[in-house]
Amino acid sequence: MAPQIGKPVFTAEEPQSRSVAHQETITSQPTLHHHTQVTADADALKFNAAASTQLRFTNGTTQPPGPDSNDDKQQQLIISPYNDKYHLLDLQALDTPNQLLALALTLLKPIRPDYATAPYTESFNWDAVFGFLRDLARATGHHWKEQDFYVVEFRSCLRSDADPVALHELDAWSLQEAVESGGLLKYWFGTKNGKRENLATCMFQPLFFLSRGLPKLILGW
């Protein structure tokens, strides 16, 4: 099931089935491996949901900390194809619903090769993301109430003479500013197709777009 902009993704009548990938593993909110223990390969982060490998499921057991670990560093989540210290999300700054959604969005990846031009709601693995979100809410004992989140969809067609290095630098700086400003939960962008078309998308906390009248994604069950 794909999310519908402005309509509930989950309804009270919908069965709250567990996601297959995690049904035997989640008993509490996962902790995080240090981001340096996760690949920095952009394609893996875009297309293979490599950010999800940062999540560590302990099942109630105690595991030794990773290298250079402390409480602050271990709360820095990879939320984009940029795995470096300037583009991480501080989970400690978020309340529980936003933490859980940010964790669930580490699974986000496209499910069709024509995502650059295909309908947005049919282009990603929303079933897996929101199934995982249900599992996380259940495992942490969080009673999920209907929440508003804001989605931005960027469609682009690059000029033939566009400078890819300059565009990459501008994108990285823009994301760093967005992370520092607060509100961002996820940033994803693809790779341009043969017609130089591409898709990028962001998901924000509701306070960031409060009273701006932008389309919203409603999550409730």
Side-chain angles (χ1 to χ4, degrees):
M1 179 191 68
Q4 301 179 53
I5 301 301
K7 297 182 180 180
V9 172
F10 305 120
T11 65
E13 293 77 20
E14 182 181 348
Q16 297 185 26
S17 59
R18 298 176 66 82
S19 62
V20 175
H22 300 278
Q23 61 181 352
E24 301 300 333
T25 59
I26 299 180
T27 58
S28 62
Q29 181 167 325
T31 56
L32 301 181
H33 294 289
H34 194 272
H35 77 96
T36 56
Q37 296 178 272
V38 178
T39 182
D41 180 73
D43 283 345
L45 291 163
K46 292 179 191 178
F47 303 116
N48 297 327
S52 65
T53 64
Q54 189 183 9
L55 309 189
R56 178 169 55 187
F57 299 92
T58 60
N59 289 324
T61 61
T62 301
Q63 295 189 5
D68 301 321
S69 65
N70 60 46
D71 289 344
D72 291 337
K73 289 183 179 179
Q74 294 297 79
Q75 292 296 315
Q76 304 295 308
L77 180 68
I78 302 166
I79 60 167
S80 76
Y82 299 105
N83 178 9
D84 60 63
K85 64 181 181 179
Y86 302 107
H87 299 106
L88 304 175
L89 176 65
D90 182 7
L91 290 181
Q92 296 181 109
L94 305 178
D95 61 10
T96 298
N98 285 294
Q99 282 189 12
L100 297 182
L101 181 56
L103 291 169
L105 285 167
T106 62
L107 293 186
L108 186 72
K109 64 180 181 179
I111 57 174
R112 52 190 296 172
D114 61 344
Y115 57 80
T117 56
Y120 180 85
T121 56
E122 299 174 12
S123 295
F124 295 96
N125 60 334
W126 297 113
D127 281 341
V129 171
F130 295 122
F132 188 27
L133 178 59
R134 286 193 188 94
D135 288 350
L136 288 170
R138 182 183 294 108
T140 58
H142 177 70
H143 178 66
W144 189 277
K145 298 181 180 179
E146 184 174 288
Q147 305 284 325
D148 292 349
F149 297 94
Y150 289 81
V151 175
V152 179
E153 174 187 354
F154 301 95
R155 302 281 182 175
S156 62
C157 184
L158 295 181
R159 290 171 33 172
S160 59
D161 61 348
D163 183 345
V165 175
L167 289 175
H168 178 82
E169 291 178 351
L170 287 171
D171 187 68
W173 278 108
S174 297
L175 176 58
Q176 181 177 343
E177 183 176 345
V179 170
E180 292 174 353
S181 298
L184 182 67
L185 296 175
K186 184 69 178 181
Y187 174 54
W188 182 92
F189 62 89
T191 299
K192 67 180 185 295
N193 62 20
K195 296 181 179 180
R196 301 187 300 278
E197 299 166 320
N198 204 356
L199 169 67
T201 188
C202 300
M203 187 170 288
F204 288 88
Q205 300 175 55
L207 289 178
F208 187 82
F209 281 128
L210 189 63
S211 301
R212 299 191 184 190
L214 294 176
K216 59 186 176 183
L217 178 67
I218 302 175
L219 304 186
W221 68 85

